[in-house]
Amino acid sequence: MRIVGDWFLFDDGESRPILRAKLRTNRGTTVTEQFLVDTGADRTVFTAALLQQLALPVQPASMDERLLGIGGAAAYVMVESVIELTRDDGGPAVVRGQFAAFIDPGATDLSVMGRDVLNHFDVIVSRPKSDVLLLASRHRYQVVQE
């Protein structure tokens, strides 16, 4: 399985590795979201705006855990959801789980795909080659000297 992302140019002039995914709302419709591929993030986190669009039931965050980032700690809730990535053959790659979601719209404007999802794949993020790839099953990679 191969999932292909993009290097997306943001308003600040920086390109960042992005994967697009579909998520099902409480109303049965789907929402497409861009996720920043963050191999340093422990968990996948939805923006407050995505949480509002999904309208799924939430659970309070564990008192023992905090979400910390460059901006410090931020309040969040947990939500049971399904993230559907599109394989390069057009089929779905589905990751089910309990994901964190910020409740403060100012916490971040970009959902983050962390290691709770990324650990299911070999992850290749290469700016020089413009690659953002998730590999599993029949796909593998090889590093060769040129």
Side-chain angles (χ1 to χ4, degrees):
M1 165 185 350
R2 186 170 79 151
I3 298 162
V4 179
D6 296 302
W7 283 89
F8 186 84
L9 181 62
F10 285 84
D11 292 340
D12 64 0
E14 293 294 328
S15 292
R16 294 180 180 89
I18 296 294
L19 288 168
R20 286 176 188 77
K22 294 178 186 174
L23 297 100
R24 187 163 304 282
T25 70
N26 196 29
R27 297 172 293 286
T29 59
T30 58
V31 173
T32 300
E33 179 78 352
Q34 291 188 114
F35 284 84
L36 173 68
V37 176
D38 188 344
T39 60
D42 294 329
R43 65 171 50 235
T44 297
V45 184
F46 300 163
T47 64
L50 177 59
L51 177 64
Q52 185 176 4
Q53 285 181 301
L54 294 175
L56 295 170
V58 299
Q59 298 173 348
S62 168
M63 297 299 285
D64 299 341
E65 293 183 23
R66 298 185 316 160
L67 285 182
L68 296 172
I70 292 174
Y76 70 101
V77 293
M78 299 300 293
V79 62
E80 194 79 28
S81 188
V82 177
I83 298 173
E84 182 181 307
L85 300 160
T86 302
R87 302 183 319 232
D88 64 345
D89 66 2
V94 175
V95 180
R96 289 176 171 78
Q98 194 173 47
F99 303 103
F102 289 119
I103 56 176
D104 176 5
T108 184
D109 56 356
L110 193 58
S111 291
V112 174
M113 187 161 296
R115 290 193 321 270
D116 56 342
V117 172
L118 297 176
N119 282 347
H120 296 281
F121 303 94
D122 291 319
V123 180
I124 299 172
V125 180
S126 170
R127 186 63 189 123
K129 297 197 181 309
S130 295
D131 287 332
V132 179
L133 300 169
L134 302 185
L135 305 175
S137 305
R138 302 182 340 247
H139 287 86
R140 61 187 173 95
Y141 65 95
Q142 180 179 7
V143 178
V144 295
Q145 184 176 354
E146 294 182 357

